[in-house]
Amino acid sequence: MPARYLADASVEPVLTSAQTRIEITSGPNRWSSRKHALPDAIDFWSFAGAAANVVMHFGWPEVAYGVMESKVKSGSLVHHPWKRARTTTQYLAVAILGTQEERDAFRDAVNVAHRQVRSDETSPVKYNAFNRELQMWVAACLYIGFEDTYQLLHGRLDDAQLEDFYSTASPLATTLQVTDDMWPATRADFDRYWNLACERVTYDETTRQYLLDLVGLKMINWPLRVMFRNLLEFLTIGTLPPLMREKLGLAWSDDDRRRFEHLFVFVSFVNRFIPRFIRHGGSHAVLADLRRRIKADKNLI
């Protein structure tokens, strides 16, 4: 689906937000009078849907095979899961909290790795990590994850609050090759982009098995796998849009939905009593590590 198609205002999405977004059933946001921004959303519970975000990324086959076939083994999610987690969280931290100079430095480092991520004659789909449309899709998935978990934790935002929140989100995309004019101008424009882009979502059996292994924590040692696998599976399926659950054949019952909602009611209540510097500390810590690496002229990824 080329960018010109997504940008064509005469094209109406076939899918609806009820299919492409999770339902937010929490009450209205408690701080209705203030502006909301993406830096407010770096609470550690905002990363509860991190695996679901990877599943969303893989909905476009070019992204899926770009990751699965990547020759950059040092950044492989399967071979080096903790390093990949660090570099991903640092990307999010620098995009949301960093200076333009820090974003530029991280972009240069990512570009070195991305130059090696391109399809060859054996690849089932054509891909290139420098493709702006693929990067735009990944950034859109990241935004969806932050917006959804922010509302799960802090309450449902009204249209004006969503617009404020969205207006701070473009660096998720523009920290790499996506240009400012590619990022939808308004939250309504983004909804339209998202629903159109989700029409391309498909998972073949190779991708599906890779994702099931990922969510099943096959890449880490078994004691940690046994401890966290069930919780990760539950959070992943709960934060996935209905469309993607259906395409992957993942079960999600009304009882599951109620347990998921009750979990976040409890978590959001507890979160009110945890100081912000603790809740946001992880993102600031990985950004501080990135700044040390830049200062020491060390590899950033």
Side-chain angles (χ1 to χ4, degrees), residues 84 100 162 188-189 202 256:
R84 182 58 183 259
Q100 189 56 53
L162 283 172
D189 292 333
T202 185
D256 292 328

mmCIF file of all heavy atoms in Angstrom, residues 84 100 162 188-189 202 256:
data_model
loop_
_atom_site.group_PDB
_atom_site.id
_atom_site.type_symbol
_atom_site.label_atom_id
_atom_site.label_comp_id
_atom_site.label_asym_id
_atom_site.label_seq_id
_atom_site.Cartn_x
_atom_site.Cartn_y
_atom_site.Cartn_z
ATOM 1 N N ARG A 84 18.637 -6.153 22.483
ATOM 2 C CA ARG A 84 17.596 -5.582 21.619
ATOM 3 C C ARG A 84 16.606 -4.775 22.455
ATOM 4 O O ARG A 84 16.143 -3.707 22.031
ATOM 5 C CB ARG A 84 16.870 -6.707 20.876
ATOM 6 C CG ARG A 84 15.797 -6.223 19.906
ATOM 7 C CD ARG A 84 16.377 -5.267 18.860
ATOM 8 N NE ARG A 84 15.347 -4.739 17.975
ATOM 9 C CZ ARG A 84 15.114 -5.181 16.748
ATOM 10 N NH1 ARG A 84 15.846 -6.165 16.249
ATOM 11 N NH2 ARG A 84 14.172 -4.642 16.013
ATOM 12 N N GLN A 100 17.571 17.200 19.879
ATOM 13 C CA GLN A 100 17.701 16.904 18.455
ATOM 14 C C GLN A 100 19.082 16.344 18.141
ATOM 15 O O GLN A 100 19.224 15.443 17.296
ATOM 16 C CB GLN A 100 17.447 18.164 17.620
ATOM 17 C CG GLN A 100 17.340 17.881 16.126
ATOM 18 C CD GLN A 100 16.269 16.854 15.795
ATOM 19 O OE1 GLN A 100 15.107 16.991 16.191
ATOM 20 N NE2 GLN A 100 16.643 15.798 15.082
ATOM 21 N N LEU A 162 -6.837 14.067 23.456
ATOM 22 C CA LEU A 162 -6.150 13.191 22.503
ATOM 23 C C LEU A 162 -5.362 14.007 21.487
ATOM 24 O O LEU A 162 -4.246 13.629 21.102
ATOM 25 C CB LEU A 162 -7.157 12.301 21.779
ATOM 26 C CG LEU A 162 -7.702 11.104 22.560
ATOM 27 C CD1 LEU A 162 -8.844 10.437 21.791
ATOM 28 C CD2 LEU A 162 -6.599 10.090 22.851
ATOM 29 N N ALA A 188 -7.365 12.879 13.937
ATOM 30 C CA ALA A 188 -8.347 12.295 13.020
ATOM 31 C C ALA A 188 -7.657 11.759 11.768
ATOM 32 O O ALA A 188 -8.016 10.684 11.260
ATOM 33 C CB ALA A 188 -9.405 13.331 12.648
ATOM 34 N N ASP A 189 -6.668 12.500 11.268
ATOM 35 C CA ASP A 189 -5.899 12.026 10.115
ATOM 36 C C ASP A 189 -5.152 10.738 10.458
ATOM 37 O O ASP A 189 -5.038 9.828 9.625
ATOM 38 C CB ASP A 189 -4.894 13.088 9.664
ATOM 39 C CG ASP A 189 -5.557 14.323 9.078
ATOM 40 O OD1 ASP A 189 -6.675 14.202 8.543
ATOM 41 O OD2 ASP A 189 -4.955 15.417 9.179
ATOM 42 N N THR A 202 -1.276 -8.902 7.626
ATOM 43 C CA THR A 202 -1.424 -10.331 7.369
ATOM 44 C C THR A 202 -0.250 -11.054 8.017
ATOM 45 O O THR A 202 0.836 -10.485 8.171
ATOM 46 C CB THR A 202 -1.457 -10.623 5.853
ATOM 47 O OG1 THR A 202 -1.727 -12.008 5.647
ATOM 48 C CG2 THR A 202 -0.148 -10.257 5.182
ATOM 49 N N ASP A 256 -11.694 -13.125 29.873
ATOM 50 C CA ASP A 256 -10.344 -12.566 29.718
ATOM 51 C C ASP A 256 -10.401 -11.049 29.705
ATOM 52 O O ASP A 256 -9.582 -10.376 30.349
ATOM 53 C CB ASP A 256 -9.710 -13.055 28.412
ATOM 54 C CG ASP A 256 -9.396 -14.528 28.423
ATOM 55 O OD1 ASP A 256 -9.078 -15.061 29.502
ATOM 56 O OD2 ASP A 256 -9.468 -15.143 27.345
#
